[in-house]
Structure formats: C-alpha cells, structure tokens
Amino acid sequence: MKITIITNCTNRKRKFGKTLKINNLSDFLSLDQLLKHWTKSVEKATTKCAASSVYQGRTFTDATNATTLCSGDLYIVSAGMGYIHSNNQIPSYEFTVTNTNGSLRPWLAEKGVTVGQWWGALNRSWINQNPISKQVNDSAQDSVFLVALPSTYLELIADDLLNIHPSKVNRLRIFTSTLGANLLPINLKKQLMPYDQRLDSICSYKGTRGDFPQRALLHFVKKLNGHFFEATISTEMVRNVMIAGKTIQLPKRKKLDNSQISQIIESNWLSSGGRATQLLRVLRDKELVACEQSRFSSLWREVQTKMKNRVPNG
C-alpha cells in the first residue's frame, strides 16, 4: 500500500537567505504580470532548502508525524510554490491566500480572479497542470491519499480536484472543517472523514480550528490505523469515535479589527514577556476575542517590531 498525505503550507516558516515576497501588489496590473515576476523570482533564488525544514507549527508537525507513522510521502499545497513534495528545494518566502495581512486574496478579487484560477495559472507556469488530480489518476490501485486541508486551501485546489476520475475517487480520505466540506466537489463529499469538534474531548488531540484537519489526520492514522481500511469502514470507525466523544461548548468570542487586537497584544506584552503562546491565550481565554492563529501571528510580529523599536523614556 502506498500512502500519500497532502497538507497545506503554513504562515510560520523558518527564515534563511533572502526572503521572497511581494511588497507592493498594486505595481502589477494583471495576473500574467504578477505570475511572471513571482515565478522568475522563485527560479532565480540561490538559497533553498527542503520544504520539510521550512514550514513550522503544529499543523505541519502533525502532518509530518502522520506521514512517518504510515511510511508515506508528504506533499504540500502552497499558494506560492504550487504542489510540492516535502523534499523539494524551496526558497524562504512570504506568499499566501489566507485571510491575513499581506494576502494575495484582495488583489485577486480586485482583478476578478479566483484563488482557483491563481492555482491553475501557477502550476501551468511550471508545466504541472492539475497536479493533484493527475497524481491521483495516475496512482497504483493500492494507493491511498489522505488530504488534510482547511477551507482556504480546499478553495484553492477545488478546480483541480474536479478532474479526479470517478473510478479513483475512492482512494481519497479527506479531513477538513464544516466550511471546508461545503467547498468539496459533490463527488468527493462521501470521502470526507466525519471528524467534528468532539475531537477536542480526546486527550492529546485538542487544538485550534486552524490545525483541526491535521489533528484529525493524526488521530486517524495513529489511533485508528484508518488508512488500512476501505473508505466506508474507516468512515464508520471515525463516526463511532465521535459518538463516544463529548461536545465541547466553545465560548462566544467577540470580533475585533486588527488595530483593536494589536492594542490588546501590546497592553499585555510586558506581563506575558512577549511570548506569543501566552498572549494568544490571553486574547482567547481572558479577553474572549475571536482571532485565527495565522492572523494572530501576523499581528504579534507587528507588535514585536514596534516594541523593539520603542525608545525608552528618559
């Protein structure tokens, strides 16, 4: 049996060499213009290392651990790099379509381009059109693909997934949120493993919404050995685990804009020693503010820079 795990890149990345990024998206008038500039920058980058050593955080760690447990291959969906193997050499970069500061998404919307169209154009530029569906369609009969992606990345690759041949669909096991499930093509919905928030009641598998797909993936591989079974059997196994679990009542959190969240981070900076983990807990548990981890990380870095540059009084 050949196991392939597909996960997403992360905003947390190890920095090395020159970090590639687009400082002013407004400089680009069209998708083709931006695409040519970006791909040329990636190709010309002189300092690169394996993707597996670039991405950081629990999301990627859980996906990596699941890959090791089932002796599989790990592939990564990246808005900047395309569809890459964990061993592929990539540069340090900042490029995302998630709803965070510096995202490509607003620029694409302004140009009337969907994130799916960006994904298609990016992979075509590297002569790798519809890379995920092609990999599934060309796979051996005993292949299983474990796809752990949040809604933003499923939106990115949805058009690609439409090209999976009906006879190969049963090779997929998909892990995502309710929102992500709604973005799946109809013929793939039956491949969704029915994990839900009751996963948080299982020791060692509690986490954030952002890392939910990868936590579910790791539980599936480590606790259920679900990759060894047909989709109908593994689906029932997951359903039974969820029935036995307890529903965690999530606190109602208020929504604030970036400046308000930054102010809270700054006001609690000294008492927390500037530690991101502690500040996130203050934000969520004490202030009861809704803030995705990727958004928080971006705002935390901005406040960190501000605090470093602050001149002491006197």
Side-chain angles (χ1 to χ4, degrees):
M1 177 178 288
K2 179 175 174 55
I3 307 295
T4 298
I5 288 178
I6 300 174
T7 191
N8 53 284
C9 66
T10 59
N11 283 334
R12 284 186 60 191
K13 302 179 183 71
R14 183 171 72 86
K15 305 295 184 183
F16 59 95
K18 181 182 179 181
T19 298
L20 302 184
K21 56 184 176 181
I22 304 295
N23 292 318
N24 295 301
L25 281 167
S26 58
D27 292 342
F28 301 96
L29 301 178
S30 67
L31 176 63
D32 286 342
Q33 188 182 30
L34 174 60
L35 186 64
K36 288 177 182 178
H37 172 84
W38 178 251
T39 54
K40 184 179 292 186
S41 297
V42 173
E43 291 167 355
K44 290 174 64 178
T46 55
T47 305
K48 298 181 179 181
C49 68
S52 59
S53 66
V54 175
Y55 302 113
Q56 299 180 333
R58 182 177 182 179
T59 295
F60 198 74
T61 299
D62 281 357
T64 300
N65 289 341
T67 304
T68 301
L69 286 169
C70 63
S71 301
D73 273 325
L74 179 61
Y75 281 81
I76 303 149
V77 173
S78 164
M81 297 294 115
Y83 188 57
I84 55 175
H85 189 276
S86 59
N87 291 335
N88 283 167
Q89 299 290 306
I90 63 173
S92 175
Y93 74 99
E94 292 180 10
F95 201 92
T96 184
V97 293
T98 58
N99 296 311
T100 57
N101 289 344
S103 174
L104 178 64
R105 188 178 289 266
W107 183 90
L108 291 174
E110 180 184 323
K111 303 300 179 185
V113 178
T114 67
V115 292
Q117 288 171 325
W118 167 259
W119 176 256
L122 178 64
N123 286 291
R124 281 194 301 274
S125 71
W126 284 321
I127 316 175
N128 194 24
Q129 187 170 5
N130 296 323
I132 300 175
S133 59
K134 185 177 187 304
Q135 185 182 26
V136 175
N137 291 339
D138 292 345
S139 64
Q141 188 172 354
D142 63 344
S143 297
V144 175
F145 292 82
L146 307 179
V147 183
L149 296 171
S151 59
T152 47
Y153 284 87
L154 280 174
E155 182 184 5
L156 185 69
I157 67 169
D159 291 342
D160 188 342
L161 297 178
L162 284 171
N163 291 281
I164 295 177
H165 193 275
S167 64
K168 307 297 175 70
V169 166
N170 61 355
R171 297 180 184 178
L172 274 68
R173 313 287 185 269
I174 301 173
F175 308 85
T176 191
S177 62
T178 301
L179 181 57
N182 292 334
L183 295 171
L184 286 173
I186 293 177
N187 66 322
L188 296 185
K189 290 185 182 296
K190 63 181 180 180
Q191 305 308 122
L192 179 68
M193 296 296 102
Y195 281 97
D196 57 37
Q197 67 182 38
R198 286 172 289 185
L199 178 64
D200 285 345
S201 68
I202 302 174
C203 183
S204 301
Y205 292 93
K206 183 177 181 179
T208 67
R209 292 182 181 181
D211 55 36
F212 173 78
Q214 288 75 21
R215 289 188 285 121
L217 164 70
L218 184 59
H219 179 271
F220 183 80
V221 170
K222 188 174 183 178
K223 295 299 183 180
L224 302 184
N225 286 317
H227 51 292
F228 288 121
F229 301 95
E230 294 182 357
T232 53
I233 297 175
S234 54
T235 297
E236 191 62 25
M237 292 168 67
V238 172
R239 186 171 288 117
N240 289 337
V241 170
M242 291 299 97
I243 290 173
K246 297 179 181 178
T247 300
I248 303 298
Q249 295 297 325
L250 298 176
K252 291 185 178 180
R253 294 190 171 98
K254 55 193 174 187
K255 294 183 179 180
L256 301 180
D257 60 30
N258 287 350
S259 63
Q260 292 171 310
I261 293 176
S262 293
Q263 187 175 358
I264 293 174
I265 295 173
E266 186 174 342
S267 63
N268 289 276
W269 189 268
L270 293 179
S271 62
S272 67
R275 292 186 293 273
T277 302
Q278 188 170 332
L279 282 164
L280 182 58
R281 293 269 58 88
V282 168
L283 196 67
R284 288 177 171 170
D285 300 339
K286 180 181 176 182
E287 300 293 338
L288 295 179
V289 174
C291 185
E292 291 183 353
Q293 189 161 359
S294 57
R295 181 188 179 199
F296 168 80
S297 297
S298 177
L299 295 174
W300 177 85
R301 286 193 295 269
E302 290 179 4
V303 175
Q304 182 188 46
T305 300
K306 180 179 179 180
M307 298 302 285
K308 285 181 178 178
N309 293 335
R310 177 172 290 176
V311 178
N313 292 326

